[in-house]
Amino acid sequence: MSQAAAFPDVIRKIERVAPDVVARAAKYPSSILADVAGRRGALSGRIAPLAPSMRMAGPAITVEVRPGDNLMIHAAMAVAKSGDVIVVDGKGDLSSALMGEIMSHQCVALGIVGVVIDGAVRDSEAIRELGFPMFAAGLNPNGPTKFVPGRLNHPISLGGVCVSPGDLVVADADGVTVIEREKAEALLPLAEAKVAAETKRIAQIKSREALAPAWLNGALRAAGVIKEGETL
């Protein structure tokens, strides 16, 4: 029996966001997806890529660990499928690294497309050279322990966002956005329209056709900054 097969089905068999939805979502910046999701779903900015060029998109494999222990991350790697993103609630602890170069190489070999950790990692230069998308709250050369139980493929909270197994994770230089699996596909047309609107706005600025946004005076009136009938 394989290592993955030994885990209960409730842990191994999660419902993931569809591969075609992941492929379509990967075309959009994390900021666009956060905007069309109601300006929510973006993790705290302290969880950042080790290099600005790192980006990824995929369904979440969720992990909860005790601070400084990475046993359950190894378990997650054992059950993950190619294309998955491992998302770890490390409790924001920066006293020791939860992953490093060896585990990153293992993820690449397994087809795992990236990792998000609310905690520390190490071997940052080697991970950058490998090009493996690693998003973490910080760095620490200390290694972890490997004997404290935790949770796998259970709803977790990190960076101010609740993440469920199978949710869509999109990350780039700006950070990480998580979209609920059930809502992901419906948001893609909104993302396409948002990109088109922003492209048009940038063209208007470059041509000097409209150097101020059309909504500005109305928003200022609504906020009481200027009176009705007044404009900037």
Side-chain angles (χ1 to χ4, degrees), residues 3 12 58 66 73 96 99 105-106 118 136 138 162 197 215 222 232:
Q3 184 178 11
R12 291 191 297 116
R66 289 287 298 274
I73 301 177
S96 61
M99 290 186 69
H105 275 282
Q106 185 178 348
D118 191 0
C162 180
W215 51 261
L232 289 183

Side-chain angles (χ1 to χ4, degrees), residues 21-117:
V21 174
V22 173
R24 291 160 59 196
K27 300 185 298 182
Y28 300 111
S30 61
S31 57
I32 292 289
L33 292 171
D35 278 357
V36 300
R39 289 176 168 78
R40 57 180 297 277
L43 273 57
S44 168
R46 61 188 172 76
I47 301 174
L50 296 190
S53 60
M54 292 178 174
R55 65 176 297 131
M56 63 183 174
I61 296 294
T62 57
V63 188
E64 182 184 3
V65 302
R66 289 287 298 274
D69 191 282
N70 73 354
L71 175 63
M72 297 309 295
I73 301 177
H74 286 278
M77 293 165 65
V79 302
K81 294 183 178 180
S82 179
D84 284 343
V85 174
I86 292 179
V87 183
V88 183
D89 173 15
K91 311 302 181 185
D93 177 67
L94 302 180
S95 64
S96 61
L98 294 177
M99 290 186 69
E101 181 181 9
I102 293 175
M103 293 175 72
S104 295
H105 275 282
Q106 185 178 348
C107 283
V108 171
L110 291 167
I112 295 166
V113 299
V115 171
V116 179
I117 294 183

Side-chain angles (χ1 to χ4, degrees), residues 112-177:
I112 295 166
V113 299
V115 171
V116 179
I117 294 183
D118 191 0
V121 299
R122 67 180 182 181
D123 306 325
S124 58
E125 289 188 19
I127 297 172
R128 290 188 192 101
E129 184 176 348
L130 178 62
F132 179 67
M134 177 71 74
F135 291 68
L139 301 172
N140 195 305
N142 281 336
T145 58
K146 293 176 170 59
F147 52 76
V148 183
R151 284 180 169 177
L152 178 59
N153 281 334
H154 189 90
I156 59 174
S157 177
L158 71 163
V161 175
C162 180
V163 185
S164 294
D167 281 352
L168 173 65
V169 180
V170 177
D172 53 29
D174 287 335
V176 183
T177 295

Side-chain angles (χ1 to χ4, degrees), residues 184-204:
E185 185 171 13
L187 291 180
L188 296 180
L190 302 180
E192 183 179 9
K194 177 75 171 173
V195 169
E198 291 194 356
T199 301
K200 180 180 179 181
R201 177 72 188 120
I202 291 170
Q204 290 175 331

Side-chain angles (χ1 to χ4, degrees), residues 17 37 40 162 166-168 178-185 187:
V17 61
R40 57 180 297 277
C162 180
D167 281 352
L168 173 65
V178 178
I179 306 293
E180 294 97 324
R181 177 182 58 81
E182 300 87 349
K183 298 180 179 179
E185 185 171 13
L187 291 180

